[in-house]
Every structure is written in structure tokens, then in C-alpha cells.
Amino acid sequence: MKSILKPAILALAMLAGLPSCEVERLPETSVSDETYWRTESDLKTAANYLYTFLPGFGTIDGVNNYGNEDVWSDDAVGLATNNISDGSRLAPATANEYNSPYRLIRAANNIVEKAPRASAATAASIIERYTAEARFFRAWGYFSLVQRYGDVPLILKILDDTSTELQAPAAPRAQVIDQIYQDLDFAAQKLPTPTVLGTADYGRISNTAALAFKARVALFEGTRSKYHNYGEPTKHLKLAVDAAKAVMDSKQHDLFTGSYFDLFQMAGEGRQNRENIIVRQYGVSTADRVSTQNFFRGTLENGNMNPTKSLVDSYLMKDGLPITKSPLYTAPTKSTDVFKDRDTRLTDTYFKAGDAWIGTKLVYDVAPLVFNKTGFTFRKYSNLDDWVTSASLIDRVLLRYAEVLLTYAEATYELNGTISDADLDLTVNRLRARGSVAKLSNAFATANGLTVRDEIRRERRVELAEEGFRYWDLIRWKTAEIELPKPVLGNYFFKAEYGTSTAVNLTSDNIILVQAANFRKFDPAKDYLWPLPINEIALNPALKQNPGW
């Protein structure tokens, strides 16, 4: 049975706070802050609120429009073009992506500051545990901000109307990143292991979650600083290697033993799936719908996130070679040919003829181009029963052990300029094995004109497809300026299957053209950072807009 975190609404009112540069006051009917913070139950209830900020489907950091972030990249496209991926956005007046993390940070600061008030009957270890959860979430909030904006205000205490910090300039990104590391180190030391959390507390943040997230942060900053030529890349890459290895050595996690498709179904839920490290939980059962999601029907089936040819082409043939090099590859003449002799994760991630589909058409045959404009349809988290009820209980996986393995492999290579075959076997080749793909070795790469770095990056793209990583990978590798201005292409146009009822633009090679290159741009002088909301700069003139915006 799924364990679910149930935040207390009464506590939410008390913990609501500073979104950025303005103070929200508590209603007079709220629980008195002076009478709270006494028991373990008080601390746990306060900490439960933090979990509502874990991104679900269709929310950004607990607010909106997250879960479709792949359309920012070259991996997916929606029904309409996206102003991030095509370079047409303008600086916004307000942005939930900015305000929501600061609400999370304030709630976390509130716990860090007030948890020590707990009565003498509350053990110090209990106070430290929930303080550690709060510091983990503070790190989560700040990483979301640094990824987007770079330098941001660093606030580590509760503010009021008179606080000078409300008019302070942004802290350098290096200072913010170091604070993230400090918070995650504290969390890794004070939080329970997944084994100790067990089934009863499945879904709460563990010590390995803190380490795995530290590895993610350090890989991002290490590679970003390396390829954007600033900061201390070696420092961050070493931290990424060490944190990932600590998770691996803990033996608390392993790859899911079921199918790759089931990893994103109810079969992959709960403590029995040791691959999951951080998840956004949904309801316990159809009779206990604490919260539900409608990602399949509202996003995948409706065409709000369609995979591109660029992503599909990145999947290897079973011999371990890309389609441009493998003798196994032949140009498809029908839609199912795309999956022939390929990495089996391709069939687990994209619909093909014969798969269970939707309530009004039980079996999938070919993508309806009026919605799925690329001729491909993502399959992760799809479930026929959930389509019918429009109320899925499948958790969103936010961090899993496969990512840790990929982080270790990439950080090792980026740090040393090489990676041993033994380390490839510990990481990349374990993932290739579940796709029934031949192993990668240094000799194999050399013999076939491949580079190990590119193959590690390819493996990351394939393994984590449809999970929101690709845009940020392009940002940190400084390749967004190369990849995003390319045309958005789809499948081959199989006329006998797709029909002619929907107008489709095609290339000279009979490939679906969704968006031409001349409608896409990426300005490397400004687009590697997001624009600060204009209203935030008006509220605090010490904040400076990012270059070019």
C-alpha cells in the first residue's frame, strides 16, 4: 500500500510566507506561532508542507506548468511552439518560477529557526531530523533559482517588513551553491536511510536522497562552469563523483528489477522499487485521492508534449551503434520499423502499433497528427485505466538511481578526461543491459569512431527521456546555441498509415516538419540565463537584470 504525506492545512496557513520581496501576514484565526513548535508532531506537520513544493505533473515547483519542461528543449514539442526553445520569450512581469522557490525557502527557514523551540521531551535527534528535511528543501529551492537566474538573493532567516535583506543585492551564484552543499551535507548526516524509513515513511527524504541531489547539483555546476569558463569546475566535479559514489556504496538503491515501462507504472511504486530515490507522491487509492494527476490524458495524449525525431534517433541499435553507423539499420517503410533492432527502451518510452491506448480507442495504431504533431507519442506514465478516470495515482519520479549512475560516469569522465571500462560497467553498461544494447568500452568507441563523452551523454538522454533533463543538459554543456536553432522534425510520413486528412509540412526526405529552423533562435549572450521578473526589480532596485534582458 502506498504511503502518502498528508499536510495539515492549518499548518500551511501558519507556514505561508515570503514569496520574494513582500511579506504575507497570517490571518488572525491561524494557530498561534507561540503555542506551536512544541512536539514531534508539530515539527513533522510543518515539514509535510515542504513536500507540497515537490514538482508534480503540470506544476512548476508546486505551482504550474511543470512536467512539460521537455518542450523547452529539442526532445519535445507541444501543440503550439514554445517561446523558451524557439528564443522568442520576453522578460515577464512576474514569474512563479521565481516566487515559488522563495515561498519554499521561507517555509524551510521557518522550521530551521523555530524547531529548536521544541520541548525538552523532544529528542535532539528528532529536532535535527526535521531541521535536516527543511535544509534539504531549502537547497532544492535555491538550486531551482540558480539554474535559471544565476545570482539570486540568499536568505537564510525569516524576514519581516523592516528586514534590510529585502533591499539587498543578489548573492553570487558560487555563494549560493556553497550554501546548497552545506544544507545537503547536513541533511545527509542527519536524515534516516531508506531502510530505516521503510514502507511507513516511504516518500520522505532520506540521507541518500540528499547525497543524490548533491551529486545532481555538483554535476550541473561542474560542467556548466567548465564549458562556460568560470568558477571552479574541478571542485564541483569531485563533489559530484564523491556524492554519487557514496549513494552507490550505500547499497540502499539498485535498478528496478521489472521492465523499464513498469518503472513508471503502479508496479514501480513504493519501497520495493529501490531505484526510486525522490518521488512526488499522489493518492493512496481511488477511495483515498489525496491528490491525483492527469499527465497521460492532459499532456501526452492531447499533444502537449510530443517527442522529436532528434530524440528518437538518439536511441542505439542493439549492436551498440547509432543508426548512422549500424548495419542493422534500414530506413523504415512503416511506423513499426522505427523500433526494429533498437534499444528496447524505445518501445517502452514511445507508443507503437498494438499498445494499449485510450478509452475511445483501446489499441494504438499510429499517432493522430492533429494532436501528436511529430508522429511520435510519449508512453511513460501512460495507463488506459487512468485515462478513463482522469485521476492517476502514479507517482512522479524526480530522482532515481539510474541518474546517480549516469552522474558518476559523466562526472568521472569530465574530471579526468577518461573513464575506465570497469566504471563504464558499473554505470552506463548496466543501463544499456536493460535496453538489450551491446556494452560500451573505450576500445569499442575507438573502433567505431565514437567518443566516450558523447556516448555517456547519449545514454543520459535516452535513459532519462521524458523526465525533464534535456534542456538543463544543453544549458550546462553550452550546446543549446547549437541544438535549439535546428528545425523540429518528426517521424517519416507514412502516408498509408497517417492518411491525408491533416495538413502536414514535409521535408524533401518525406519527414514531418513541425517548425522550420528560421523560426528558431538561441542567443548565447543572454539565453543561458533566464530574465528576472520585472516586478521583482521594481520592488528591489538592488537586483540587476541578467545580461541582454
Side-chain angles (χ1 to χ4, degrees), residues 365-382:
D365 49 14
V366 70
L369 296 181
V370 66
F371 296 116
N372 307 128
K373 292 183 178 296
T374 62
F376 295 114
T377 311
F378 277 127
R379 192 174 176 222
K380 286 181 182 177
Y381 297 105
S382 68

Side-chain angles (χ1 to χ4, degrees), residues 98 102 142 145-146 148-155 169-173 176 532 543:
Y98 187 87
Y102 276 114
Y142 271 118
L145 290 165
V146 170
R148 290 170 171 82
Y149 304 105
D151 300 350
V152 292
L154 181 61
I155 300 169
R173 69 180 296 139
V176 181
L532 289 165
L543 284 180

Side-chain angles (χ1 to χ4, degrees), residues 60-71:
I60 268 189
D61 300 319
V63 182
N64 58 36
N65 201 32
Y66 208 87
N68 301 2
E69 59 268 46
D70 284 297
V71 300

Side-chain angles (χ1 to χ4, degrees), residues 251-322:
K251 305 301 181 184
Q252 290 287 315
H253 300 281
D254 204 348
L255 297 180
F256 182 51
T257 57
S259 74
Y260 185 75
F261 176 74
D262 280 346
L263 180 56
F264 307 96
Q265 299 292 312
M266 294 297 290
E269 296 216 334
R271 178 61 187 142
Q272 53 85 26
N273 175 10
R274 296 174 62 209
E275 182 162 347
N276 288 345
I277 299 178
I278 303 176
V279 300
R280 167 63 184 258
Q281 289 189 299
Y282 286 90
V284 175
S285 67
T286 54
D288 189 2
R289 298 184 183 184
V290 177
S291 64
T292 62
Q293 49 94 351
N294 194 26
F295 183 60
F296 177 30
R297 188 166 183 173
T299 295
L300 304 185
E301 185 251 334
N302 282 350
N304 290 310
M305 195 172 84
N306 305 303
T308 62
K309 185 177 191 295
S310 173
L311 173 57
V312 173
D313 284 356
S314 67
Y315 286 74
L316 296 168
M317 305 300 291
K318 288 188 175 182
D319 60 7
L321 294 173

Side-chain angles (χ1 to χ4, degrees), residues 5 47-48 50-52 54-55 128-140 183-184 186-188 190-198 201-214 253 277-281 398-399:
L5 301 169
N48 283 354
L50 306 176
Y51 288 84
T52 68
L54 286 175
E128 288 178 338
R129 172 181 174 176
Y130 292 107
T131 300
E133 283 196 13
R135 292 187 67 171
F136 171 88
F137 279 101
R138 183 166 69 183
W140 184 279
D183 283 344
L184 293 176
F186 183 88
K190 302 299 182 181
L191 289 173
T193 66
T195 297
V196 170
L197 288 174
D201 273 336
Y202 174 76
R204 300 200 81 89
I205 300 299
S206 65
N207 71 322
T208 52
L211 288 167
F213 186 59
K214 182 181 179 182
H253 300 281
I277 299 178
I278 303 176
V279 300
R280 167 63 184 258
Q281 289 189 299
L398 298 174
L399 201 162

Side-chain angles (χ1 to χ4, degrees), residues 155-172:
I155 300 169
L156 303 176
K157 65 179 184 179
I158 299 300
L159 306 183
D160 60 29
D161 297 35
T162 64
S163 298
T164 58
E165 289 85 353
L166 293 174
Q167 299 297 314

